[in-house]
Amino acid sequence: QAQLVESGGGLVQAGGSLRLSCAASGRSFTGYTMGWFRQAPGKEREFVARMRWNAINSYYTTYYADSVKGRFTISGDNAKNTVYLQMNSLKPEDTAVYYCAAGRTSGSYSSLYDYWGQGTQVTVSS
């Protein structure tokens, strides 16, 4: 059974950093888009970042929400079946539950993703 498990969340002061991990298992996610989303209390789930392997040119294509561009970096380790989200210069407004997701098609809408992790809490104090 396909499974995505996030880890690495926690409490950090504003300006600090965290690295989230998403371990994939149960099936191959080759060719899938891997994404990170977040949901703050009382708010809709929102797109954060995504990546997709470009087999023709042998590199990952990445895309970020404007709110995290320049501060967050998505990356992957194929050997470990793990996707990462490096978060730097964290702000209190980054506080949310962060979810890892995998989908066959590329995009920023959560409805495009077929598999989801259980989420990991990130809290940024001011």
Side-chain angles (χ1 to χ4, degrees):
Q1 184 174 355
Q3 192 173 18
L4 300 175
V5 178
E6 302 97 334
S7 61
L11 173 64
V12 64
Q13 288 188 332
S17 298
L18 282 175
R19 188 177 79 157
L20 305 183
S21 299
C22 171
S25 63
R27 64 156 294 145
S28 171
F29 287 99
T30 300
Y32 275 63
T33 294
M34 303 301 295
W36 286 96
F37 289 76
R38 66 186 182 186
Q39 188 167 18
K43 293 188 176 182
E44 298 283 322
R45 188 170 297 188
E46 65 174 1
F47 166 77
V48 175
R50 69 175 190 260
M51 64 185 296
R52 188 177 182 93
W53 176 247
N54 184 317
I56 296 175
N57 296 313
S58 299
Y59 66 87
Y60 282 106
T61 299
T62 59
Y63 189 79
Y64 299 90
D66 288 342
S67 59
V68 307
K69 202 173 293 183
R71 300 188 297 123
F72 291 11
T73 302
I74 187 172
S75 62
D77 185 332
N78 287 338
K80 296 182 178 179
N81 291 325
T82 301
V83 177
Y84 304 99
L85 185 68
Q86 178 67 43
M87 305 186 296
N88 298 329
S89 302
L90 282 162
K91 304 174 181 180
E93 51 263 45
D94 294 318
T95 295
V97 177
Y98 283 70
Y99 297 90
C100 176
R104 294 178 181 85
T105 57
S106 187
S108 302
Y109 294 102
S110 59
S111 59
L112 295 174
Y113 292 79
D114 307 298
Y115 301 96
W116 291 85
Q118 82 290 347
T120 185
Q121 176 71 46
V122 171
T123 303
V124 184
S125 63
S126 56

